Amino acid sequence: MSLVPELAILVEKRYLDAQHSLFRFVFNDEDRRKAFSFKPGQFVMLSIFGVGEAPISITSGPDEKGFIDLCVRKAGRVTGVLHELEENARVGIRGPYGNGYPVETMEGGNLLIVAGGLGIAPLRSLIRYVLFRRERFGEVGIGYGARDPESVLFYGEMQNLLERTDINCMLSVDSVPENSRWQGQVGRVTQLLDKITMPLEGTSVAVCGPPVFYKFVLDKLLKLGYSKGSIYMSLERRMECGLGKCGHCVVGHKYTCIDGPIFTYWDAINLPEIF
Ligand SMILES: Cc1cc2nc3c(=O)[nH]c(=O)nc-3n(C[C@H](O)[C@H](O)[C@H](O)COP(=O)(O)OP(=O)(O)OC[C@H]3O[C@@H](n4cnc5c(N)ncnc54)[C@H](O)[C@@H]3O)c2cc1C
Ligand code: FES
């Protein structure tokens, strides 16, 4: 696969909060636009010309054709400049890379999705995949935790999910500032897991969030009785090539860019310094 990025145009930029925005890109080449396909959990390498590249998860659903949505936090050089770009700006995109969630294995069973903060980005793609073929899944539960009401990403979409009767969706914030009009749940995402009751047998769990979130959520899931092999987590490592050539993302004997970024907890726990 080529390391040369393909030209893409920023067609829409949606402010989510002070640190995050949703960026919609289309490939300049129409054939590429039509042919691009990916699995939930895969990522692209996004280039800002003259600045650098960054790996970013695709947050749109694989059934949404013609564009790629990326939800990006302003973190440093590349993402900082990205947030300054105006619509019609040109960027480079290569990929998709990584293994993605094993959706074929998940289909036919129940699915519990647990997100913390920006961890919703790759999981939003998985949620969209599930909604498009809801009948192929058994029970579906979603738990999403954010720091405070201002930090809930995709609030409108979460409201729609909360209203659905075919999905057990719960949203919670860690704390609420004084005078807030927040009427939802307050507490850690681990507390939601006590309320979303799913059978242990036949349930896959997809988890994504910051390191501290993993520490508590994985512990909680094991206490609830889920097996390490049924829990899928996404590992973030510094990446350069994204396709198994440079060695920047190696953890133990695994390349995060091609063996991951999605690993079962069973596989991840045997890797050094995963958190
Ligand atoms: C598979 C994958 C998927 C991702 N998906 C998303 C996503 O959907 N949305 C999103 O916003 N982000 C995502 N990220 C994270 C994103 O790639 C990084 O935030 C991005 O690379 C930052 O690039 P930058 O040039 O803006 O920041 P940089 O300038 O590289 O700095 C980013 C941060 O890293 C620190 N840093 C810089 N160099 C090093 C170094 N050598 N070692 C350790 N720390 C260093 C900086 O101090 C800063 O805090 C993903 C990462 C991976 C691996
Ligand atoms: S990023 Fe180069 S080998 Fe993984």
Side-chain angles (χ1 to χ4, degrees):
M1 200 183 268
S2 167
L3 278 167
V4 180
E6 289 167 272
L7 188 62
I9 314 294
L10 173 60
V11 292
E12 202 180 318
K13 180 176 168 187
R14 175 149 57 105
Y15 175 93
L16 297 176
D17 72 11
Q19 276 192 301
H20 304 90
S21 288
L22 181 68
F23 299 87
R24 175 163 294 182
F25 297 100
V26 297
F27 283 111
N28 197 44
D29 183 90
E30 201 178 330
D31 290 340
R32 182 66 178 132
R33 210 181 294 165
K34 284 185 189 149
F36 186 81
S37 66
F38 64 94
K39 278 173 77 174
Q42 286 196 294
F43 63 94
V44 292
M45 294 298 292
L46 175 77
S47 316
I48 304 292
F49 299 123
V51 182
E53 279 191 310
I56 304 290
S57 307
I58 304 171
T59 195
S60 38
D63 305 288
E64 298 171 290
K65 298 290 182 194
F67 61 86
I68 304 171
D69 282 346
L70 307 178
C71 172
V72 186
R73 169 180 291 160
K74 222 185 282 180
R77 254 167 5 106
V78 173
T79 53
V81 176
L82 172 70
H83 276 255
E84 301 302 318
L85 295 183
E86 303 289 344
E87 285 174 15
N88 292 321
R90 290 157 169 245
V91 301
I93 290 181
R94 56 187 180 89
Y97 296 128
N99 56 357
Y101 292 100
V103 284
E104 298 83 7
T105 311
M106 291 170 162
E107 282 182 21
N110 309 308
L111 179 61
L112 175 58
I113 293 172
V114 192
L118 180 59
I120 193 70
L123 290 174
R124 180 173 178 263
S125 181
L126 180 62
I127 292 170
R128 288 173 169 239
Y129 178 92
V130 173
L131 295 182
F132 200 80
R133 44 186 71 67
R134 177 65 189 88
E135 72 291 349
R136 293 199 203 161
F137 290 84
E139 291 184 36
V140 177
I142 301 172
Y144 176 34
R147 224 180 25 245
D148 53 49
E150 291 284 298
S151 320
V152 176
L153 301 173
F154 306 109
Y155 182 75
E157 291 177 21
M158 291 312 297
Q159 286 300 322
N160 289 340
L161 289 172
L162 288 167
E163 284 166 18
R164 285 182 74 124
T165 52
D166 60 345
I167 289 175
N168 186 2
C169 178
M170 288 197 186
L171 168 65
S172 177
V173 295
D174 294 348
S175 62
V176 176
E178 271 181 42
N179 306 324
S180 167
R181 287 191 291 170
W182 178 257
Q183 291 184 330
Q185 310 218 32
V186 180
R188 301 273 177 197
V189 72
T190 43
Q191 290 168 257
L192 294 183
L193 293 177
D194 284 322
K195 298 179 188 159
I196 305 177
T197 49
M198 304 270 290
L200 296 175
E201 282 300 312
T203 298
S204 304
V205 189
V207 186
C208 191
V212 63
F213 160 96
Y214 275 124
K215 184 170 155 31
F216 290 106
V217 168
L218 293 172
D219 197 39
K220 180 75 184 181
L221 288 168
L222 293 186
K223 281 198 181 118
L224 288 171
Y226 292 101
S227 70
K228 293 190 182 96
S230 69
I231 301 172
Y232 296 89
M233 50 191 294
S234 183
L235 289 191
E236 258 194 35
R237 285 293 176 277
R238 291 202 72 81
M239 291 182 185
E240 294 285 333
C241 69
L243 35 71
K245 300 285 181 209
C246 72
H248 272 83
C249 68
V250 168
V251 199
H253 57 288
K254 298 279 184 190
Y255 287 81
T256 319
C257 65
I258 51 173
D259 299 318
I262 313 300
F263 292 92
T264 64
Y265 187 24
W266 179 256
D267 287 334
I269 207 161
N270 294 312
L271 300 173
E273 297 175 27
I274 54 163
F275 300 117

